[in-house]
Amino acid sequence: MNDFPKMMWVSQNTLRFAFSEEISQESFLLVQHFNRFIRKFLQHQIIETVAGYYTITVYLKGRQHVSYEKLLEQWQHYQIETMNGSHLIGRELTVPICYDEEFALDMERVMEHTKLSYEEVVSLHSGRSYAVHLVGFLPGFPYLGELDSRLHVPRLQKPRKLVDASSVGIGGRQTGIYPIDSPGGWNIIGRTPHRLFDVKNNEPTLFQTGDSVTFYAITKQEFYNMNQERV
Amino acid sequence: MKPLLKVTRQGVHASVQDYGRFGYRAQGIPVSGVMDRYSYELGNQILNNEANAACLEIFVGGFEFEALSNHTYVLTGAVGDYYLNGEVLESWKSFRVKKGDILSLKSAVEGSILYLIPRGGLNVELVLKSRSSYPLANIGESINVGSILYGSEVEPLPNMRGLMGDYRPKFDTVVQVRVYKGPHFELFTNESVERFLTHSFQYIGGNRMGYYFKGEGLLLQEKKEIISEATQFGTIQVPSSGEPIVLMADAQTVGGYPIIGTVHEDDLSKLTQLRTFGSVMFHLMEEGD
């Protein structure tokens, strides 16, 4: 049975639950599981929740009484009820990326740092499935883990003033995609023709915490074709 | 849609705001909404508006408007030099404007943020269930010379209404705010924690995303990479400079700086009204208070 996360009041209307402090697939699953639990059991008391790498932050509708003991008991029941794990399956998305030099502004820096060839960088980056650990920093920005350790490259010393929307970056142990034009310090290695953030959609963001994502490489021609279809 | 006002002179910054955009933080979309909720709420009460009616939030002043129709308004928040056709205009009291009138909001004198609220609220498109602007994501329109503010046709107020002086909030140059311990409180040195809770910090500038403070550095016991987690309006982050930043209404939804504390929601209004070089003192709340 999983441990109960530590609970603290961040402010009078905000509760924070924390599992052990780490970035891992285990803590990702645990956080997703607990997030579903808390959204269900406090559904009438909460505005919204934000799941992080090891934390779940719960924004309450004003000051609420929340009993730690009662939650603990319910969480144990919930875990037994949901033991088969089917509840943990999020959406599986496949996302095209063009790694062409037109978009891959930092590919040379990445190749130099990793001593990998262009083809190796592309195949390592697109060759595995990533979990959306967290969405934030910018509207719809997905923090994706875990990046193959051979692709761990430090962030730019001086962040770019402007990274174009839909640019794909790697930084440290993570990879992500910029949803809107913004400053940014990650190494840019490609671009997706997809739009990640559109306020006119019912679901304004392409990615949601808990999704799993696989990338596949496309040519520049395919990129522009898809880009046109999108409009 | 009733055209109310045309902007004829623009100041530092103004934006349309309501209570905020709730329910989208998990997707990285900030709450936004008014900075000084207290002044905003009182303004809507004075006009008998719906609690969530949209207003124009103005930093420091510098705006002038030409009235495009007859309508009733109130000004709340910062007290300052405000004029209607050159006559001194008192804030915290409803007032009527006739087509062609010139409304000049020159400068805030006490406090830094003022609210111009029309009877019935501003009429702007709802985006993700809120009328609040969030320019970073191109939500809402920027307010510049030539912008037209729209309202709605509403029953006029039967009487002019206002709030007596004693009931209006005071805007001090030194504010005392209550804080909760942040998730990383224990990572700071004892000396830093003591400084945080006993010294004042000077406000040196900021915007709707965050206010920057200057003071003796707040340091971690040892260098540590913080794993990003949720933040909110009132989160007190400490970057490596050791000088605290309080996140404001447009707070990003997650952050990776150590969080030493969080400002009590009820004390945010007075904090937002600080003027440059004013200062704040933080007082620790105990859990459960």
Side-chain angles (χ1 to χ4, degrees):
Chain A
M1 194 58 51
N2 292 315
D3 285 339
F4 192 72
K6 278 189 206 149
M7 179 175 107
M8 75 177 277
W9 288 95
V10 166
S11 70
Q12 71 269 44
N13 304 333
T14 308
L15 269 175
R16 172 191 190 262
F17 296 92
F19 288 102
S20 65
E21 191 178 334
E22 59 181 41
I23 299 179
S24 67
Q25 186 64 16
E26 292 70 42
S27 66
F28 168 71
L29 293 174
L30 201 49
V31 163
Q32 295 309 312
H33 199 176
F34 188 81
N35 190 35
R36 281 168 201 238
F37 158 74
I38 205 85
R39 291 174 71 93
K40 184 173 173 198
F41 279 86
L42 296 180
Q43 58 180 312
H44 301 295
Q45 290 164 273
I46 63 174
I47 301 170
E48 55 197 309
T49 64
V50 174
Y53 288 102
Y54 73 104
T55 59
I56 301 95
T57 303
V58 179
Y59 298 101
L60 298 162
K61 295 174 181 165
R63 182 78 204 202
Q64 306 272 347
H65 177 75
V66 175
S67 157
Y68 186 81
E69 289 71 29
K70 211 166 154 192
L71 269 185
L72 177 63
E73 202 186 303
Q74 287 168 333
W75 170 231
Q76 282 166 345
H77 286 306
Y78 185 78
Q79 283 179 297
I80 293 165
E81 278 168 30
T82 54
M83 208 121 86
N84 65 13
S86 60
H87 58 284
L88 286 178
I89 298 168
R91 299 181 309 166
E92 286 183 36
L93 305 174
T94 48
V95 174
I97 295 179
C98 178
Y99 295 94
D100 189 274
E101 61 182 21
E102 180 180 344
F103 308 123
L105 306 178
D106 299 310
M107 187 59 90
E108 278 191 22
R109 185 182 129 89
V110 170
M111 286 161 57
E112 205 168 291
H113 192 275
T114 58
K115 311 271 185 288
L116 294 169
S117 69
Y118 172 84
E119 289 74 19
E120 286 166 328
V121 172
V122 170
S123 85
L124 285 176
H125 188 257
S126 57
R128 60 160 65 191
S129 161
Y130 299 96
V132 180
H133 284 258
L134 179 62
V135 175
F137 158 58
L138 292 169
F141 185 97
Y143 287 87
L144 302 170
E146 284 265 304
L147 190 63
D148 190 292
S149 60
R150 284 166 286 179
L151 287 177
H152 291 186
V153 178
R155 295 176 191 198
L156 305 182
Q157 290 219 323
K158 206 173 154 202
R160 278 198 175 82
K161 285 213 174 86
L162 181 70
V163 176
D164 287 329
S166 300
S167 293
V168 179
I170 57 176
R173 297 160 61 182
Q174 292 167 309
T175 180
I177 308 178
Y178 288 84
I180 52 180
D181 292 348
S182 86
W186 288 18
N187 303 278
I188 305 303
I189 58 164
R191 193 181 297 179
T192 174
H194 284 348
R195 188 177 298 193
L196 271 69
F197 179 66
D198 187 350
V199 291
K200 290 187 187 72
N201 284 345
N202 265 347
E203 285 299 339
T205 61
L206 178 63
F207 297 108
Q208 289 179 20
T209 308
D211 290 344
S212 58
V213 183
T214 316
F215 297 130
Y216 65 98
I218 56 170
T219 64
K220 213 153 101 173
Q221 190 55 48
E222 288 169 321
F223 176 91
Y224 283 114
N225 292 343
M226 289 182 181
N227 214 24
Q228 269 173 351
E229 281 166 26
R230 176 181 96 170
V231 184
Chain B
M1 294 272 274
K2 175 186 177 187
L4 296 181
L5 298 167
K6 188 165 128 186
V7 180
T8 51
R9 186 176 296 168
Q10 73 190 75
V12 178
H13 180 70
S15 64
V16 175
Q17 299 293 337
D18 58 14
Y19 258 120
R21 183 170 285 107
F22 295 92
Y24 296 96
R25 273 183 273 196
Q27 283 140 284
I29 302 167
V31 174
S32 304
V34 291
M35 296 275 282
D36 175 358
R37 282 187 191 159
Y38 191 60
S39 294
Y40 164 74
E41 281 168 11
L42 289 171
N44 278 328
Q45 283 168 22
I46 289 171
L47 294 178
N48 247 334
N49 282 349
E50 281 176 27
N52 200 25
C55 68
L56 189 68
E57 180 182 270
I58 302 169
F59 276 73
V60 192
F63 277 83
E64 196 174 87
F65 306 89
E66 180 194 330
L68 303 177
S69 57
N70 300 351
H71 206 83
T72 302
Y73 299 83
V74 71
L75 280 170
T76 65
V79 176
D81 294 332
Y82 313 137
Y83 303 91
L84 184 62
N85 298 325
E87 303 265 325
V88 171
L89 184 63
E90 195 181 343
S91 46
W92 296 94
K93 276 183 177 174
S94 66
F95 59 94
R96 281 197 66 80
V97 162
K98 290 194 195 66
K99 190 176 173 183
D101 283 355
I102 302 295
L103 175 63
S104 175
L105 308 177
K106 284 216 156 78
S107 63
V109 175
E110 286 169 40
S112 59
I113 304 171
L114 57 146
Y115 292 92
L116 174 62
I117 312 176
R119 166 102 171 112
L122 288 172
N123 194 342
V124 302
E125 196 191 355
L126 280 171
V127 177
L128 305 175
K129 297 185 229 152
S130 165
R131 295 191 166 82
S132 290
S133 297
Y134 179 60
L136 198 65
N138 292 318
I139 298 177
E141 285 180 26
S142 58
I143 306 294
N144 304 310
V145 168
S147 298
I148 292 176
L149 302 174
Y150 292 90
S152 309
E153 294 286 356
V154 278
E155 290 278 306
L157 275 183
N159 308 89
M160 292 292 110
R161 289 156 54 101
L163 202 60
M164 305 277 280
D166 290 353
Y167 296 95
R168 300 173 190 171
K170 302 277 182 290
F171 303 115
D172 298 320
T173 51
V174 181
V175 297
Q176 315 283 335
V177 305
R178 293 165 290 172
V179 297
Y180 286 81
K181 277 185 193 176
H184 311 114
F185 187 87
E186 315 292 343
L187 301 181
F188 287 84
T189 64
N190 290 340
E191 298 76 39
S192 294
V193 166
E194 202 195 312
R195 273 203 289 278
F196 175 59
L197 298 171
T198 55
H199 290 211
S200 67
F201 291 85
Q202 192 178 42
Y203 173 50
I204 52 169
N207 52 37
R208 286 184 42 85
M209 291 180 76
Y211 277 16
Y212 292 78
F213 291 89
K214 200 173 147 72
E216 270 186 85
L218 306 175
L219 305 171
L220 296 180
Q221 291 161 28
E222 52 191 80
K223 222 177 167 187
K224 184 168 189 267
E225 188 151 337
I226 299 293
I227 300 178
S228 294
E229 63 172 88
T231 50
Q232 65 181 48
F233 188 4
T235 295
I236 309 169
Q237 291 183 335
V238 183
S240 53
S241 69
E243 297 185 321
I245 301 168
V246 182
L247 298 184
M248 290 287 157
D250 282 347
Q252 58 186 58
T253 55
V254 297
Y257 288 122
I259 300 168
I260 196 169
T262 306
V263 178
H264 192 292
E265 267 110 334
D266 295 343
D267 292 346
L268 287 169
S269 287
K270 58 181 171 184
L271 186 64
T272 66
Q273 289 286 2
L274 269 184
R275 295 171 66 86
T276 312
F277 307 126
S279 55
V280 63
M281 288 196 74
F282 299 110
H283 302 279
L284 190 64
M285 299 265 302
E286 290 304 321
E287 258 188 52
D289 274 8

